[in-house]
Amino acid sequence: QVQLVESGGGLVQAGGSLRLSCAASGRAFSTYAMGWFRQAPGKEREFVAAISRSGGTTYHAEFVKGRFTISRDNAKNTLYLQMSSLTPEDTASYYCAAKYVTGTGIYTQEYHYDFWGQGTQVTVSS
């Protein structure tokens, strides 16, 4: 069992940057593979990025490569999403998710994840 709380969202102009955080509490953070997803109004939730439990492996969706970076600090029980070169198309609610694992895998599908945060809103103005 783990509880996840996202923070760091807000209003930013196109071209700007934000860093989202996902604070975890409960079971040891290092036993979870993590992911970021987002959902824009009227659209399905989509995969953004994923990271293995140690942070040694990452994967980013094609539409954010070169702009977003997923990372984690297991000592702080925190997952991050550093976002730069933001565009209005990045406007969405961003969610972190956790999957309990015993290996080094990363996961891009929503159904793999066991726990979800409540989301944090990112709005990018033009």
Side-chain angles (χ1 to χ4, degrees):
Q1 185 81 2
V2 64
Q3 294 78 46
L4 306 172
V5 180
E6 301 96 334
S7 62
L11 176 64
V12 63
Q13 291 184 336
S17 299
L18 285 173
R19 188 180 73 164
L20 306 184
S21 298
C22 174
S25 62
R27 199 164 181 172
F29 185 57
S30 61
T31 63
Y32 293 91
M34 301 293 293
W36 285 101
F37 292 77
R38 70 185 187 185
Q39 187 168 27
K43 295 186 176 181
E44 296 291 322
R45 185 152 52 185
E46 64 180 348
F47 169 77
V48 176
I51 190 166
S52 62
R53 63 177 180 166
S54 70
T57 304
T58 62
Y59 180 78
H60 298 78
E62 187 66 29
F63 59 85
V64 303
K65 285 182 179 178
R67 299 191 300 122
F68 293 8
T69 302
I70 189 171
S71 63
R72 65 192 296 162
D73 187 337
N74 286 352
K76 296 181 178 180
N77 294 338
T78 303
L79 174 75
Y80 302 100
L81 185 68
Q82 180 66 52
M83 306 185 295
S84 62
S85 300
L86 287 162
T87 75
E89 288 69 43
D90 296 314
T91 295
S93 291
Y94 284 72
Y95 300 86
C96 66
K99 174 178 171 57
Y100 181 72
V101 297
T102 57
T104 59
I106 57 173
Y107 303 89
T108 63
Q109 302 295 311
E110 183 177 350
Y111 71 84
H112 282 295
Y113 288 90
D114 303 306
F115 305 101
W116 294 82
Q118 84 291 342
T120 186
Q121 178 67 34
V122 172
T123 302
V124 184
S125 65
S126 60

